[in-house]
Amino acid sequence: MTKRIFRSIVLVAAAVLLCTVIIIMSAFYTYFNRTQLDRLSAQTELAAQGVEHEGVSFFEGLELEDYRFTLVAADGTVLYDSRADIAEMENHLDREEIREALQTGVGESGRTSDTLAQRTLYSARRLSDGSVIRVSITQHTILTLTLGMVQPMLIVLLVAIVLSIWLAFRLSKRVMEPMNNLNLEKPLENDLYSELAPLLNRIDRQQRRIEAQTREVERRREEFEAITSSMSEGLVLLNESGTVLSLNPAAAKLFSTDESCIGSSFLKMDRSIELQHAFERALSEGSGELTLTRNDRKYRIEMNRIDTEKELSGVVLLSFDVTDKQLLERQRREFTANVSHELKTPLQSIMGSAELVENGLVKDGDLPAFMGRIRGEAQRLVSLIDDIIRLSQLDEGGELPIETADIYSIAEEVLQSLAQAAGKRNIDLRLDGESCKVSGVRRLLYEIVYNLVDNAIRYNREGGSVAVSVQNEGSNAVLRVSDTGVGIPKDQQERVFERFYRVDKSHSKETGGTGLGLSIVKHAAQLHHAKVSLESAENSGTIVTVTF
């Protein structure tokens, strides 16, 4: 902008200077021309009077180097010339100024030399005897006049150019200095030229619009980061060349990296050939999938191409932890197989015994034993179905009656109901602690205590003991059930809460357990946001703690 103003000022100054020189030279030329004509006319008049009185002798001793005198007879013959030999001169009757003087008494004309940059002015007067006196003077053309003034003009031009450049520099700097110091953050606060007010108003409106758009973009970015950072799924955004544009914490954890990888190639972050092939399929086909194993967990990776306005923008990668899903699927298959097996066994026993009785193959004395076996297997079948129904209800959730229940009171009821079963195996039941009230579903709380104590009795030794403790520990209510039973091996302690899982299947069948008791405890505790922990060692008993 400064250079443009500077150039404009210099060009304007040069144009003005050139026009000034042209006008002045034209004025000078016009003035000189008029002056010469006046002087030439006066000199012609004087020469005419001198020749009238003295004849040709008038010219003797006359020193006028600038003027040329010619005396022409009425027939055009040259009688006298101050600069040329009259014998060599041609007839002048065809000269314009001679013809006019002969006709009107006075004649003037001007002729320019074809070879010299000169112009000659002629003035003629008719004398009384019919002859014509002509006076001529050489007049320089405007080109000759200009060439004669080259030196002073160059000096003036040089001074003018220097002054123009200096003034243009000062003026452009002075004009641009306020504009260079504009406060674009607050355009309307600038005290500047009024001509710039519309521009400043437009900048202010544009700036407010940009600030609003920036705030909106920042808000959306924060929302995007807040959403993606709380996602359990991994999210990675890649451009068409595989450069990482963004990733959330879950993806960073999966690929063992951090935000420093943004801007670098994704293949440097993970060199898995399967990932590379999935990325290439996403670019060419629109999507690509694969399954990866990282840190003993399984992830399903989905890559999808992103197209904007029919142009490829990049690829989005989503990772899903499917470890729990596969585990649940395996547990479902095991549960289905176990349920089928658990239901089939008592049913086959019932059918076998009933078939023997029906065919009369059982003696009358053995009939009560067979009927007892049928009743026992039926009871076991009913218990199994009841436990499955309870688990199904816990899985379904739904609204449950919430009330304040005393864990200690519930434990007393459980010990009374299981006292007969404990007495059959000579197992001592003990309860100590204090009243501990929690908010929950009393029926489910009863199921928790019942199943824990029932397991402690079933998997205990003959003549062993079961101790139930209910204590308030700070803001928590803690239930502990400990026994002196066979214990649980370390490598199987995490699986005992799975449905139908038994540490010792043969012993479990003997005790009549369904394998669903601890699973019911786990689900009921989860509904009460309680924590279940287990401490056990093989042949050293077991302690199960539930913290509400």
Side-chain angles (χ1 to χ4, degrees):
M1 185 69 177
T2 303
K3 292 181 179 179
R4 181 174 295 179
I5 293 176
F6 176 81
R7 288 196 300 268
S8 300
I9 294 175
V10 171
L11 289 174
V12 169
V16 170
L17 180 61
L18 180 61
C19 292
T20 303
V21 170
I22 293 174
I23 292 172
I24 291 174
M25 292 301 297
S26 299
F28 280 171
Y29 181 75
T30 303
Y31 172 76
F32 290 150
N33 189 31
R34 185 172 61 250
T35 301
Q36 280 187 322
L37 287 174
D38 292 341
R39 289 174 60 190
L40 182 62
S41 178
Q43 193 65 38
T44 304
E45 186 65 30
L46 290 174
Q49 292 179 7
V51 172
E52 286 282 1
H53 291 87
E54 301 180 15
V56 178
S57 60
F58 171 75
F59 298 107
E60 294 179 1
L62 190 64
E63 296 181 359
L64 294 173
E65 297 180 357
D66 294 338
Y67 297 94
R68 179 180 179 182
F69 297 93
T70 305
L71 182 62
V72 180
D75 60 357
T77 303
V78 177
L79 301 176
Y80 173 80
D81 191 271
S82 61
R83 293 186 181 177
D85 185 2
I86 60 175
E88 297 178 358
M89 296 180 67
E90 59 185 7
N91 191 283
H92 278 38
L93 190 62
D94 60 342
R95 301 295 195 272
E96 180 182 356
E97 68 278 2
I98 300 297
R99 288 198 314 270
E100 289 183 1
L102 290 174
Q103 294 174 3
T104 63
V106 178
E108 292 181 350
S109 69
R111 288 187 289 277
T112 302
S113 173
D114 295 334
T115 58
L116 302 175
Q118 293 180 344
R119 177 178 174 81
T120 304
L121 299 178
Y122 298 93
S123 177
R125 293 286 189 275
R126 187 179 63 192
L127 301 179
S128 59
D129 60 357
S131 61
V132 176
I133 181 69
R134 186 186 71 177
V135 181
S136 63
I137 187 173
T138 300
Q139 180 190 34
H140 295 291
T141 62
I142 191 168
L143 176 61
T144 305
L145 183 63
T146 303
L147 291 175
M149 298 182 65
V150 167
Q151 184 175 357
M153 286 178 60
L154 288 176
I155 295 174
V156 173
L157 184 61
L158 180 61
V159 173
I161 290 176
V162 171
L163 287 175
S164 298
I165 292 175
W166 180 73
L167 290 174
F169 177 76
R170 291 289 303 274
L171 184 60
S172 61
K173 184 177 180 181
R174 187 174 179 181
V175 169
M176 290 304 301
E177 185 174 0
M179 299 180 68
N180 291 332
N181 296 326
L182 277 175
N183 181 9
L184 295 180
E185 296 294 329
K186 299 178 180 178
L188 299 182
E189 294 184 3
N190 293 284
D191 185 13
L192 204 60
Y193 313 113
S194 58
E195 292 81 1
L196 293 179
L199 174 63
L200 294 177
N201 288 327
R202 185 170 182 177
I203 291 175
D204 181 66
R205 292 193 301 270
Q206 189 70 22
Q207 189 168 353
R208 288 199 301 268
R209 188 179 300 112
I210 291 173
E211 288 176 354
Q213 293 174 350
T214 302
R215 287 194 298 269
E216 179 65 17
V217 170
E218 184 65 20
R219 183 185 66 81
R220 292 186 179 183
R221 185 187 65 81
E222 291 177 355
E223 288 181 355
F224 177 77
E225 290 183 353
I227 293 172
T228 56
S229 62
S230 60
M231 289 172 55
S232 59
E233 298 83 3
L235 173 66
V236 182
L237 297 180
L238 309 171
N239 64 9
E240 65 275 10
S241 61
T243 301
V244 179
L245 303 178
S246 174
L247 79 167
N248 67 344
K253 182 179 179 181
L254 171 61
F255 296 107
S256 301
T257 185
D258 52 30
E259 293 184 353
S260 63
C261 71
I262 295 177
S264 59
S265 175
F266 177 70
L267 298 179
K268 293 181 180 179
M269 187 173 70
D270 192 298
R271 297 184 179 276
S272 171
I273 191 66
E274 292 85 357
L275 272 176
Q276 183 177 355
H277 289 164
F279 177 75
E280 293 172 353
R281 286 197 303 274
L283 290 177
S284 60
E285 302 175 9
S287 64
E289 295 184 3
L290 74 154
T291 301
L292 290 179
T293 301
R294 292 288 188 275
N295 301 322
D296 297 327
R297 299 191 69 83
K298 292 187 178 296
Y299 296 88
R300 190 178 83 254
I301 307 296
E302 294 184 1
M303 291 188 179
N304 293 283
R305 185 175 61 198
I306 303 174
D307 296 320
T308 56
E309 297 180 356
K310 299 182 179 180
E311 292 184 0
L312 174 63
S313 296
V315 172
V316 59
L317 180 151
L318 282 171
S319 64
F320 302 90
D321 189 342
V322 295
T323 307
D324 295 336
K325 181 179 179 181
Q326 291 186 352
L327 177 61
L328 291 174
E329 182 65 21
R330 179 177 61 82
Q331 290 178 347
R332 184 191 64 79
R333 291 194 300 268
E334 292 180 353
F335 177 76
T336 302
N338 289 331
V339 166
S340 301
H341 178 73
E342 295 291 340
L343 291 176
K344 183 178 180 181
T345 301
L347 285 174
Q348 286 179 335
S349 179
I350 292 172
M351 289 177 62
S353 299
E355 184 178 358
L356 291 174
V357 173
E358 181 184 13
N359 294 329
L361 299 177
V362 179
K363 298 179 181 179
D364 292 341
D366 295 332
L367 188 60
F370 275 86
M371 297 304 294
R373 184 181 300 171
I374 292 174
R375 185 189 62 78
E377 293 295 338
Q379 182 61 43
R380 180 185 172 192
L381 193 59
V382 170
S383 299
L384 180 61
I385 293 173
D386 287 342
D387 286 345
I388 293 174
I389 292 173
R390 289 192 190 94
L391 277 175
S392 178
Q393 291 172 344
L394 292 175
D395 287 337
E396 291 175 1
E399 294 185 2
L400 296 171
I402 304 298
E403 57 182 307
T404 300
D406 187 349
I407 301 297
Y408 189 86
S409 174
I410 293 174
E412 287 182 329
E413 294 181 22
V414 169
L415 293 184
Q416 289 177 3
S417 64
L418 292 175
Q420 184 177 359
K424 291 180 179 180
R425 302 192 60 199
N426 197 23
I427 293 174
D428 180 34
L429 298 180
R430 295 194 305 272
L431 173 64
D432 59 19
E434 58 187 332
S435 174
C436 295
K437 294 184 179 181
V438 297
S439 179
V441 182
R442 195 179 191 284
R443 176 175 60 82
L444 297 182
L445 295 174
Y446 183 89
E447 290 284 348
I448 292 174
V449 180
Y450 184 91
N451 280 286
L452 290 178
V453 176
D454 184 50
N455 273 2
I457 295 172
R458 290 178 183 276
Y459 300 99
N460 213 323
R461 304 176 186 276
E462 289 286 340
S465 63
V466 175
V468 181
S469 172
V470 181
Q471 299 287 340
N472 284 307
E473 297 182 1
S475 60
N476 298 327
V478 180
L479 166 69
R480 287 188 180 88
V481 178
S482 58
D483 61 60
T484 58
V486 295
I488 303 171
K490 189 73 174 178
D491 59 340
Q492 301 187 48
Q493 290 180 9
E494 293 185 359
R495 300 199 61 189
V496 293
F497 292 96
E498 296 179 10
R499 301 173 184 183
F500 293 111
Y501 185 81
R502 294 184 175 91
V503 177
D504 185 351
K505 293 181 173 56
S506 60
H507 181 69
S508 298
K509 292 289 182 67
E510 294 175 0
T511 60
T514 62
L516 296 174
L518 288 181
S519 184
I520 293 174
V521 170
K522 175 185 174 183
H523 283 70
Q526 288 176 345
L527 287 175
H528 288 84
H529 306 291
K531 179 182 178 181
V532 181
S533 60
L534 184 145
E535 300 176 21
S536 182
E538 199 168 2
N539 300 318
S540 298
T542 302
I543 301 175
V544 180
T545 304
V546 183
T547 304
F548 297 91

